[in-house]
Every structure is written in C-alpha cells, then in structure tokens.
Amino acid sequence: MLQVFKTIGRVAAAQEPVLVIGESGTGKELVANAIHRSSSRSDKPFVKVNSAALSSTLLESEMFGHERGSFTGAITQRAGRFEQANGGTLFLDEIGDMDIDLQVKLLRVLQTGQIERVGGERTIQTDVRIISATNRDLEAKIAVGRFREDLFYRLNVLTVNLPPLRERRDDIPLLAEHVLRRLARKYGWPQLALSHDAAALLSASNWPGNVRELQNVLARAAILSRGRNIQLSDLQVGTASAGAGRDPRSGRFILAPGILAETERRVIAQALEQAGWNRTRAAHLLELGRRQLFDKIQQYGLHQ
Ligand SMILES: Nc1ncnc2c1ncn2[C@@H]1O[C@H](COP(=O)(O)OP(=O)(O)OP(=O)(O)O)[C@@H](O)[C@H]1O
Ligand SMILES: [Mg+2]
C-alpha cells in the first residue's frame, strides 16, 4: 500500500492521463479519487462515468451531452460529463467494457480536448484530466480487436497497478484494523476486536473479492460477535475463496480451535449454494441423509 501511495503522489503532480489497473475490489476508484484530491485540480469537479453500465448510445450522450431533440427522449439540452468535469478530473471506470465505436470517438476527444454534443454543431473546448480504470486485461482485448491500441496508449501514459490482496498479505492486518475501527465508531462498539485465530485466518485467505470482500466479511463478523472479540466461527470467508483456512506457504490447514466444525460448516454452505438451496440435492452432493443435513443446517444456523 505504501508503494501505491507513493505512486499516487507522483502521478497526482502530473497532468497526463492515468490508467488504474486491478482486480475487482482492489481500490481502483479510491485511488482515482485520491489522485484527484492530491492534484492541482482538487478544487474542481471529480466526475465519474461508468462505461459498463450504459449502452453505447446512452453512454455517448452521457459523456458528451446532447442537444434538445437529438434523439427520442432528449427533451432538453444537456451538458455531458466532459463539460461537467471541465477544469477537473474525469474518471472513466470499467474502460475495458467500452464499445469499440465509442472508443474511436473518445480517442478523438482526447487528442483535441474538443467535444461536440450529440446532435449539436458547436465545438466545445474542455480541459479535463483523464483517469481510467479497468479490471480487464486490455492488452488481451487489443489482441482480439476489442480494444483500440491507439486509445490504450493515450490512456496509459501513467499507470497505477493495484495488486490483488493475496499478493500483499502484509496489508491485511492493517486493512482489517482500519475497517474494524470504522465499524466500532459507526456502531458504538468500543470492545470490537479480532481474536488471534480470526486474524490468522484473514491473513491466510485468498480474497478473490479483495478489499471489498474483506470489508464485507468483517462487517458480518462484527455483527455475529455482537461487537466484541471476533472469533474464528464468526468469520464467513466466501466459499469462493478456496484455500481459506490454509497457510498459503505450506498449504497445510491452520489448526485453529474450531477448525473442524468451521470446515464442515463451510462445506455444507457451499453445497447448499451449489444446489440452489435445494436441500435434497445438497444432501445428495454431500452423500448425507436428508435428516442429517437438516440437523447440520440447524446446528450451524445456515440460511439463504
Ligand atoms: N487501501 C485501502 N484502504 C481502505 N479501504 C480500501 C482500500 N482499498 C480499497 N478499499 C475499500 O474497498 C472497497 C472497494 O474499493 P473500490 O470501489 O475503490 O474498488 P474497485 O477496484 O473500484 O472495485 P470494482 O472493480 O469492483 O469497481 C471500497 O469500499 C474502498 O473504500
Ligand atoms: Mg470500481
């Protein structure tokens, strides 16, 4: 994280475009925001566009604005995100999902800083710093013709790489502490803390959902522990996070108290999920009798 902070400081001072690359939940938006706030544009707007959320046509008018009557539904004239961000920073989130036609238009705008509203004739000069983010491998997309190489080079002048949490496990205790402190303040839980075993499990888990998943797991655990000392059994690390409960280096299980019950609980939860919460099917998957499974569900308080 310290390395990322240093990079943020360095790129913030520049005016060039920044590309933030990282898996889902690694903090790309947080970083984009931090770059803007540490830049000379901090008193100007920070405007976000999510390229994945809208169809190509809507995204175009969202970004560049439109004139009245330019398409059905365009009853008023509207300034686009580029204009709104003038003087400040425009954050293009999920850039890897942007339609190829729109990529061409974006490239042209980035080259000149000039935009035209959809259905408009006027050229509007803007001064916008671009930060884009992606969880996709843009180079792979370029190779199959889904992302324009020239746009990639335009956007990727400065790069911030956010490694997945499992590749920077030293950050986990710090992040956990930060999240718990915030939860404690928010809910008025002065005794909220992490037991030794629980901390060990957090550090050993794989976190496919990265920091966001860590936050969610801790928020749930804090509630289950009633705002006290979080135990291993309070942690419901996602079933997707294979390897949880194992030491990543040796691959061996962490023999923390309650590990057997905890493992059983997770296996059953996973089977239920896989079976779409159909208990008969889940019992079949586990080669358990239905009655046996029902008892376990009761015992572990599992529910959808
Ligand atoms: N270093 C950090 N310190 C504190 N909180 C963090 C840190 N990194 C990420 N977070 C938190 O994790 C959550 C996910 O971060 P963010 O939304 O920026 O990720 P993202 O990479 O944009 O995810 P996605 O690809 O899913 O959009 C946010 O709640 C954010 O505040
Ligand atoms: Mg994001």
Side-chain angles (χ1 to χ4, degrees):
M1 248 154 44
L2 288 176
Q3 244 158 21
V4 170
F5 293 157
K6 259 191 234 155
T7 315
I8 291 174
R10 275 201 298 260
V11 305
Q15 294 296 328
E16 278 79 21
V18 184
L19 179 63
V20 186
I21 305 173
E23 284 180 11
S24 184
T26 47
K28 296 185 291 296
E29 185 160 354
L30 198 77
V31 164
N33 230 302
I35 294 171
H36 171 74
R37 274 187 286 110
S38 330
S39 78
S40 60
R41 296 169 177 265
S42 59
D43 58 340
K44 296 281 169 31
F46 175 84
V47 176
K48 174 181 160 177
V49 179
N50 187 336
S51 321
L54 297 170
S55 74
S56 179
T57 335
L58 279 178
L59 185 59
E60 182 176 359
S61 92
E62 173 88 10
M63 287 210 299
F64 308 127
H66 58 249
E67 295 296 340
R68 192 176 158 185
S70 56
F71 57 87
T72 326
I75 32 181
T76 54
Q77 172 208 66
R78 209 177 80 146
R81 299 287 191 197
F82 261 92
E83 281 176 79
Q84 290 168 11
N86 201 12
T89 307
L90 184 65
F91 175 44
L92 301 174
D93 203 5
E94 321 268 0
I95 189 78
D97 295 320
M98 185 180 282
D99 188 90
I100 199 105
D101 293 337
L102 204 51
Q103 290 177 27
V104 180
K105 289 182 181 150
L106 176 62
L107 179 65
R108 219 162 38 225
V109 171
L110 295 184
Q111 282 161 342
T112 60
Q114 292 176 345
I115 58 154
E116 272 157 35
R117 292 182 182 155
V118 176
E121 323 234 286
R122 212 153 46 92
T123 306
I124 303 165
Q125 186 67 42
T126 58
D127 164 32
V128 167
R129 185 186 195 187
I130 304 288
I131 303 179
S132 42
T134 184
N135 56 16
R136 306 294 177 98
D137 181 352
L138 290 183
E139 270 145 333
K141 285 207 148 201
I142 292 169
V144 294
R146 294 266 176 77
F147 202 84
R148 288 191 61 111
E149 192 167 17
D150 41 11
L151 179 61
F152 175 71
Y153 289 119
R154 256 291 147 180
L155 296 173
N156 190 26
V157 178
L158 300 166
T159 317
V160 180
N161 255 307
L162 292 180
L165 202 48
R166 64 185 169 279
E167 285 172 20
R168 46 176 170 122
R169 291 183 189 273
D170 292 350
D171 285 352
I172 295 174
L174 299 171
L175 285 165
E177 203 182 302
H178 167 78
V179 172
L180 289 181
R181 220 178 307 128
R182 282 226 310 238
L183 286 167
R185 212 178 318 130
K186 183 169 168 194
Y187 293 105
W189 285 329
Q191 299 173 48
L192 187 63
L194 204 53
S195 73
H196 184 75
D197 308 332
L201 177 60
L202 293 185
S203 289
S205 296
N206 271 340
W207 304 112
N210 294 295
V211 184
R212 182 176 298 111
E213 186 186 6
L214 177 66
Q215 277 177 336
N216 293 344
V217 164
L218 282 173
R220 239 178 304 155
I223 293 166
L224 290 177
S225 76
R226 297 190 179 78
R228 303 234 167 80
N229 198 27
I230 293 173
Q231 304 298 316
L232 199 61
S233 55
D234 298 325
L235 290 176
Q236 303 178 349
V237 180
T239 45
S241 138
R246 284 171 186 256
D247 181 327
R249 276 164 288 259
S250 66
R252 292 169 63 152
F253 290 105
I254 297 168
L255 296 179
I259 180 78
L260 210 51
E262 176 56 19
T263 305
E264 183 174 64
R265 189 183 66 74
R266 277 194 217 165
V267 170
I268 292 172
Q270 182 185 326
L272 283 163
E273 243 159 61
Q274 244 167 270
W277 286 82
N278 177 324
R279 295 170 185 206
T280 310
R281 231 178 323 145
H284 183 74
L285 280 173
L286 293 165
E287 298 182 2
L288 269 183
R290 266 165 48 96
R291 185 73 249 166
Q292 269 175 303
L293 178 63
F294 285 7
D295 289 346
K296 299 280 183 200
I297 291 174
Q298 289 290 322
Q299 181 187 339
Y300 295 123
L302 295 167
H303 44 77
Q304 201 163 0

